[in-house]
Amino acid sequence: MRPVARSRLRLAAGVCYYRLKRYGEWLLGGKRFSREKQSVPLPHLHVRHQTPLLRRLKDVDMWMQHNKIINLRLAAERLDGVIVRPGETFSYWRLIGKPTRRKGYVEGMLLSHGRVLAGVGGGLCQLSNLLYWMTLHTPLTVTERHRHGYDVFPDADRTQPFGSGATCFYNYLDLQIANRTRQSFQVRVFLTDTHLVGEWRAEFPPTRRYDVYEKDHAITPAIWGGYERTNVLRRRVYTLDGEWLDDEFIAENRAMMMYEPLLSSHQSR
């Protein structure tokens, strides 16, 4: 995992190539993507989760966080109410579209190669993180998810396992979720004054309960200097009565740490 330095030209060419490739997959890949929206919520709640809109992070100006709220509100409006029928695939970027100034997006916090930058549409990873975490608590299937390659901030106030998010970058770092069940699901996302809130709802009530956990967590010195952080995410599956059914592999995570591993929590704020 030694960091690789690439020129701006090399990076721009790579972005262009992968974006064109993604457009081709959307058009010719043979998947049925979800498009329909419905204002009336489906009757049964399967999972609900929320994350705070504002967090004080070391070396991050709060104006980026406030601008992030503008971007999240615009993106949430594109996703709220989307129906994912059996056999369809939910694509994060196909539904949201490219975040541009013309659409009202503003500069917010972006993470690029372990650095905090300002960029138009910044902050939308909070939404993809939320959707990924919720989906792990449903029978829906994540078919594309990209892990964060850098662990930028210490674990102060972290309530979920390391590596339980999904990074996004238009349009080739996508989050795709397939509905391989026999019922339709609906995503609901909206903002309150303090939180980003999401739900997965469905036609029928849930029959399973999911417990996501990590194992084999390790922080190890890297040959190139610095530290690497790794773990494995798994989930236990239970009936609603608590009977154990399965223990499933979710993902393996590996990230370069951008802070000292023994950094105290108050230094991250």
Side-chain angles (χ1 to χ4, degrees):
M1 287 193 65
R2 183 180 180 86
V4 178
R6 293 188 173 93
S7 68
R8 290 187 178 182
L9 180 61
R10 171 66 177 81
L11 291 173
V15 168
C16 182
Y17 169 79
Y18 286 111
R19 281 185 174 167
L20 289 173
K21 183 179 179 182
R22 175 67 71 186
Y23 288 133
E25 291 174 354
W26 281 349
L27 291 173
L28 306 172
K31 292 181 181 177
R32 288 197 295 120
F33 289 102
S34 52
R35 299 175 57 184
E36 178 188 351
K37 292 182 71 173
Q38 181 177 300
S39 59
V40 178
L42 290 181
H44 298 283
L45 176 67
H46 278 235
V47 63
R48 189 178 197 269
H49 188 63
Q50 64 180 27
T51 55
L53 292 172
L54 297 176
R55 291 179 57 205
R56 292 202 173 274
L57 301 170
K58 181 178 173 61
D59 299 328
V60 178
D61 293 331
M62 286 307 294
W63 69 262
M64 289 190 185
Q65 299 251 1
H66 289 287
N67 279 7
K68 174 191 70 174
I69 295 174
I70 297 172
N71 296 335
L72 286 173
R73 197 177 304 278
L74 290 170
E77 289 173 357
R78 300 286 295 179
L79 300 184
D80 186 41
V82 167
I83 301 291
V84 188
R85 305 284 184 195
E88 289 185 343
T89 294
F90 170 100
S91 167
Y92 184 79
W93 284 125
R94 188 176 173 89
L95 289 164
I96 292 176
K98 186 176 182 179
T100 63
R101 293 187 189 276
R102 183 176 59 83
K103 296 176 182 178
Y105 290 93
V106 295
E107 289 196 343
M109 185 181 75
L110 292 175
L111 298 177
S112 177
H113 301 283
R115 296 178 299 152
V116 175
L117 305 173
V120 174
L124 294 187
C125 276
Q126 182 171 348
L127 181 53
S128 59
N129 288 341
L130 178 85
L131 290 168
Y132 178 65
W133 178 253
M134 290 197 307
T135 303
L136 297 181
H137 295 80
T138 73
L140 297 170
T141 303
V142 176
T143 55
E144 180 178 339
R145 169 258 184 180
H146 299 271
R147 68 191 184 200
H148 293 271
Y150 295 84
D151 186 23
V152 180
F153 301 112
D155 284 359
D157 302 322
R158 188 194 293 271
T159 59
Q160 297 167 205
F162 159 70
S164 56
T167 191
C168 64
F169 186 75
Y170 186 84
N171 59 359
Y172 58 91
L173 297 186
D174 199 7
L175 174 64
Q176 294 194 9
I177 301 162
N179 184 355
R180 296 173 179 170
T181 75
R182 298 181 180 180
Q183 62 173 324
S184 294
F185 278 77
Q186 180 188 41
V187 64
R188 302 300 309 271
V189 281
F190 55 92
L191 279 68
T192 68
D193 290 340
T194 58
H195 286 80
L196 173 66
V197 184
E199 297 178 345
W200 273 117
R201 307 187 70 91
E203 295 177 287
F204 305 109
T207 60
R208 300 288 185 268
R209 181 173 63 82
Y210 303 91
D211 174 32
V212 178
Y213 69 99
E214 71 171 347
K215 64 179 300 185
D216 299 332
H217 180 269
I219 294 174
T220 56
I223 298 174
W224 47 267
Y227 294 86
E228 294 180 353
R229 189 174 187 178
T230 58
N231 77 348
V232 173
L233 287 184
R234 302 186 65 89
R235 70 176 183 178
R236 303 181 184 95
V237 185
Y238 301 92
T239 67
L240 297 185
D241 295 329
E243 179 185 353
W244 179 87
L245 296 175
D246 203 355
D247 190 317
E248 301 174 340
F249 171 83
I250 296 174
E252 183 175 352
N253 295 296
R254 188 182 188 94
M256 289 181 280
M257 299 182 70
M258 306 306 293
Y259 57 91
E260 290 295 326
L262 298 180
L263 185 68
S264 61
S265 62
H266 74 272
Q267 290 178 274
S268 67
R269 303 184 181 187

